[in-house]
Amino acid sequence: MDILSSSDDNYDYEPLSGYVQGGYHPVHLGDTFHNGRYTVIHKLGWGIRATVWLAKDARDEKKPRFVALKFFVADAEDGQNELDILQKFNQSAQENPLGHFLVPADNFKVDGPNGAHLVLVYDLVGPGPDELRSGAEGTDSFVWTHARNIGARVTRAVAALNEAGFVHADLGANSIAFALPELADVDESAIMDHLGMPAKRAVEKDADNVSLPRYVVASTSFKKYMLVRIERDAAQLPWQLKLTNLGKVFAVDAPSRAMRAPPELRPPEEVFNALSSGAVEQDWGHKANVWPLGCWLYELVAETSLFIPAYEGDMGGLCVQYVSRIGPLPDRWRQFWSDSKKEIKYRPFEQYIQSDWLDEYRGTTGDDLKDFCDLLRQALVSDPEQRATAKQLLEHAWFKL
C-alpha cells in the first residue's frame, strides 16, 4: 500500500489537512456504525464538508441492502439543515416536493477524535448528466438524445420546490444526480464488480495522532455501471433524476438567505442586491432559481457555460457579461454599477449557441434549436419581474417530446 503524506496533492483523496478538530471523522473499511447496523465497504466521494461511503445496511439480516453514508465534518451545519428542511417540507401546506429530492432515510451521530459528527443515510445515486458524459465515449449522444426529458424532469423538480415556497441555493450540475434504486438489493460481489476493489493509501502520521485515519480510500462512483447499461440500450432513459444537497435549500421568507452557487450562476437580482448594499431587490424570491436553471439547461445542450467563471469580487465583470449576452439591465439597477453608462456591444443571444458541439447536437437530435433559444429567452431574463417561473417553463414547446 502506498504512503500518503500531508504534502501530497491527489484529488482522488480528501486532504489530510481536513482531519483536525472540527473536521472529518476518520472512517475505515469494515467500520460499523449505529449499533452495528451499517458496515462500510467502499468510498463514494468527498467534499470540503463531508466524506461519503458505501455501506451495507443489515437491518434485515436475511436481505441486506446498500446505502450511502454521508459523514459531515464536526462543525458543519449542512447536515442539520437537511433535517430541518425535511421537517419543513413535511409541514408545508403546498405540494410536498420530496419525491424530487435525494432525502435522508436515516440519521445518527458519531463521536470521534475530531468531534461529534452527524451522519445522514441515503439511497444510492450515480453521477448526473454532466459527470456521466465527462471523458466517456458515446455518452454525449445519450445525454443529447434525452436532453428534453432530462431538462423537463429537473425543471419539474425546481417547480415543485418553488411552489412549496423554497429555493435551492446551489442549483446546478453538482446538485443533480441519477437515482439507482436497482443497486440497493444486489449481491456485494456485483457491487464490487461495478466499483472495483477499494484503492487504499497508508497515511504517514505520528503514532499518537488519532485525528488522522490509518489510511485513505480513493473515491469511486457507479459511472461504470451506468455506461454498461447505456451501451446495451441508449434509446431508453432508465433512471429518475434527483436534486441533491437538501441542506442548501431555504424558505423564500427565511430571514437569512443567500445563493451559494459560483458567482457566474447567481441571478442578477442577488448580485445587484449586494452591489446596492441591500437598497434594491430585497425581496428576491423563487424566480432566483429559474436563472441558474436556465444556465444549466444551456450547459446540458451546449456542453459549455454561458457565462465565463467569475471570482467573488468581480461583480462588475459579471454585469458586463449580463449585458453582452442577455441585453440591457433594468433601469433601477444602473446607479449601483459604475460602468452602467459604458457602451457594451450586445451580441444576439442565439449567436452564443453556435458551436461544433451544437452542430453535433443538431445532427444527433434533429433539433433546430429555435424552441430551445426561446425557452432560454424566458428563463434568462435579467429583470426577475419579467422572468418566467419554473412552472411556466414546463409548458414550453421544447419540453414536449
Side-chain angles (χ1 to χ4, degrees):
M1 188 162 52
D2 293 340
I3 304 296
L4 185 69
S5 70
S6 58
S7 61
D8 283 345
D9 186 14
N10 189 319
Y11 294 110
D12 288 335
Y13 305 90
E14 67 275 16
L16 295 183
S17 58
Y19 286 99
V20 293
Q21 282 295 312
Y24 297 128
H25 178 65
V27 178
H28 299 92
L29 300 174
D31 283 354
T32 60
F33 297 95
H34 208 27
N35 300 318
R37 176 174 171 177
Y38 301 108
T39 302
V40 172
I41 63 171
H42 216 312
K43 173 125 163 273
L44 295 175
W46 64 272
I48 61 172
R49 311 298 286 172
T51 58
V52 183
W53 299 80
L54 178 67
K56 183 161 46 177
D57 179 0
R59 182 176 63 174
D60 184 345
E61 294 182 1
K62 294 181 179 179
K63 192 177 181 181
R65 63 192 303 271
F66 297 98
V67 295
L69 304 182
K70 188 173 186 177
F71 289 77
F72 287 91
V73 296
D75 64 356
E77 297 180 355
D78 300 55
Q80 188 57 50
N81 288 347
E82 290 209 24
L83 297 179
D84 292 343
I85 289 296
L86 183 61
Q87 183 178 22
K88 289 180 179 178
F89 277 0
N90 288 327
Q91 294 172 345
S92 174
Q94 304 292 328
E95 177 187 353
N96 193 321
L98 283 181
H100 301 284
F101 262 92
L102 178 66
V103 297
D106 191 12
N107 69 90
F108 57 91
K109 288 191 175 181
V110 172
D111 290 321
N114 297 327
H117 306 261
L118 178 62
V119 184
L120 299 185
V121 183
Y122 299 96
D123 292 331
L124 299 181
V125 295
D130 188 63
E131 183 185 345
L132 182 63
R133 66 184 173 191
S134 176
E137 186 177 350
T139 50
D140 288 326
S141 60
F142 173 79
V143 173
W144 282 335
T145 297
H146 301 288
R148 296 179 192 231
N149 195 346
I150 291 170
R153 292 182 186 188
V154 173
T155 302
R156 187 173 295 109
V158 175
L161 180 70
N162 294 165
E163 287 292 300
F166 296 90
V167 171
H168 198 304
D170 192 14
L171 184 65
N174 292 330
S175 296
I176 299 165
F178 286 110
L180 303 175
E182 68 272 21
L183 292 180
D185 302 314
V186 302
D187 293 334
E188 185 171 340
S189 60
I191 283 280
M192 289 305 179
D193 284 343
H194 298 318
L195 297 178
M197 296 304 293
K200 300 186 293 183
R201 294 186 71 177
V203 171
E204 185 180 70
K205 66 171 185 171
D206 296 332
D208 60 349
N209 187 341
V210 295
S211 289
L212 287 167
R214 299 188 305 276
Y215 56 83
V216 289
V217 181
S219 299
T220 187
S221 77
F222 291 106
K223 182 175 180 176
K224 175 184 173 183
Y225 161 77
M226 297 176 71
L227 294 178
V228 170
R229 287 203 62 180
I230 290 170
E231 187 175 355
R232 289 176 184 164
D233 186 3
Q236 301 298 318
L237 179 62
W239 306 293
Q240 293 296 317
L241 282 145
K242 297 287 185 180
L243 294 185
T244 63
N245 297 325
L246 185 62
K248 295 181 180 180
V249 168
F250 59 83
V252 173
D253 57 359
S256 177
R257 56 205 176 119
M259 303 301 279
R260 295 165 66 177
E264 64 273 11
L265 295 180
R266 294 179 192 169
E269 58 266 35
E270 196 216 5
V271 171
F272 275 91
N273 177 259
L275 286 175
S276 68
S277 299
V280 296
E281 308 306 326
Q282 302 96 332
D283 297 323
W284 54 267
H286 60 82
K287 288 186 179 180
N289 261 170
V290 176
W291 182 273
L293 174 62
C295 292
W296 173 77
L297 287 168
Y298 176 86
E299 293 177 14
L300 178 69
V301 170
E303 289 201 45
T304 188
S305 299
L306 178 59
F307 299 104
I308 299 170
Y311 62 87
E312 196 70 37
D314 188 24
M315 294 300 101
L318 195 54
C319 293
V320 170
Q321 293 191 68
Y322 290 154
V323 174
S324 64
R325 287 160 168 75
I326 305 300
L329 297 170
D331 290 341
R332 63 182 183 277
W333 295 351
R334 292 179 179 277
Q335 62 179 303
F336 304 108
W337 177 34
S338 58
D339 288 336
S340 62
K341 296 182 180 179
K342 183 178 178 181
E343 184 176 349
I344 300 171
K345 185 177 180 180
Y346 168 59
R347 181 180 173 187
F349 178 77
E350 287 70 16
Q351 292 184 19
Y352 281 95
I353 58 172
Q354 306 296 323
S355 72
D356 292 341
W357 286 115
L358 270 301
D359 289 339
E360 290 190 37
Y361 169 81
R362 289 187 188 91
T364 300
T365 65
D367 183 0
D368 64 8
L369 293 175
K370 291 180 180 178
D371 283 339
F372 183 65
C373 288
D374 184 70
L375 171 70
L376 295 182
R377 274 290 183 197
Q378 295 183 36
L380 297 172
V381 178
S382 296
D383 190 340
E385 295 177 5
Q386 306 301 319
R387 192 181 307 149
T389 65
K391 187 176 182 179
Q392 289 170 333
L393 290 182
L394 268 178
E395 301 302 317
H396 197 278
W398 191 73
F399 288 133
K400 307 304 179 183
L401 300 177

